[in-house]
Amino acid sequence: MALKVVSFATYLVSGNVAWRDGDYNALKFVKAIKGLPVNMYARVPVCGVTRRLEQANADEAIGWFGELGAEYIVGQNLPRPITFVPVPNSSCAVTNEAVPRTLRLAQAIADRVGDANVWDGLRWRVVMLPSSQGGTRDPQTLYDNLVVTKEMPTGRIVLVDDVRTTGAHFVAALARITERGGACTLALCAARRVDAQEESPFSVREEEFAEFVPRVR
């Protein structure tokens, strides 16, 4: 089935344009979401209120994402209950006890949405190389290395991740979930990777990703 992926900011990677304040603000928001250092400060619009982001309060960005995600979910009038499923970070494998940072993102939304919970049941077979460091973005490879570790929840499932580049992690996760009988058509992430500036670095974008049919080995 097709997957709608919703993002709330842009992650500009091009160095061939003159960056605007908004581009830097969005980048610092992404860094805070990922737990990376935030230099100086940024202004982040959250549900109509501009928040000041700096290193001292960088962890609050998790809650801001929760507000953005919850506002979107509530506006969609989705049937309940809703289960938010974090896509595991590359370091979270069945071979260790690492807890995905994306779990906090999923919980931040669930805490603000009525009749919702979080299911942390996806792990990698082995620790993966992050895509930002040259790790794979091939849906088939990701699917082959993704493991369901718990009984699949019933009801509507919404995937959650920090950023989207090609969407490969989302569609691989969807394939595993669907394979186990899960119902999912929606995914949320804090930001999307872009190569060119958009009019507003904090615009909400809805994108449709075609169904990925994996080769079962």
Side-chain angles (χ1 to χ4, degrees), residues 14-194:
S14 174
N16 298 322
V17 295
W19 281 44
R20 305 159 301 183
D21 287 344
D23 299 318
Y24 286 110
N25 289 340
L27 176 62
K28 291 173 184 179
F29 174 61
V30 170
K31 286 187 174 183
I33 289 290
K34 285 179 163 292
L36 300 174
V38 176
N39 297 322
M40 304 294 287
Y41 72 92
R43 298 190 182 280
V44 181
V46 182
C47 302
V49 178
T50 299
R51 312 287 177 84
R52 181 185 172 96
L53 172 68
E54 51 191 295
Q55 187 58 48
N57 71 334
D59 206 49
E60 293 181 19
I62 300 290
W64 300 348
F65 170 71
E67 292 181 47
L68 292 166
E71 181 181 63
Y72 180 85
I73 292 294
V74 171
Q76 297 301 301
N77 295 315
L78 299 179
R80 309 302 171 88
I82 299 174
T83 299
F84 294 95
V85 176
V87 177
N89 303 113
S90 56
S91 60
C92 299
V94 294
T95 55
N96 61 43
E97 297 182 359
V99 177
R101 185 175 176 84
T102 49
L103 175 60
R104 296 184 61 197
L105 298 177
Q107 193 64 60
I109 303 173
D111 287 345
R112 293 165 172 82
V113 174
D115 200 6
N117 53 72
V118 173
W119 180 79
D120 182 26
L122 297 176
R123 286 294 185 275
W124 303 106
R125 293 185 187 278
V126 296
V127 173
M128 305 285 284
L129 184 67
S131 56
S132 61
Q133 298 177 23
T136 183
R137 289 174 179 161
D138 174 54
Q140 182 66 49
T141 303
L142 293 168
Y143 166 84
D144 289 339
N145 285 281
L146 197 57
V147 178
V148 175
T149 62
K150 300 178 181 179
E151 182 178 352
M152 187 65 59
T154 58
R156 181 177 296 270
I157 290 173
V158 176
L159 292 168
V160 179
D161 206 350
D162 48 15
V163 299
R164 176 201 67 72
T165 50
T166 64
H169 288 75
F170 275 139
V171 297
L174 174 63
R176 276 294 180 203
I177 287 172
T178 303
E179 174 185 87
R180 295 298 184 91
C184 177
T185 58
L186 179 64
L188 304 179
C189 61
R192 58 195 177 275
R193 180 186 183 275
V194 295

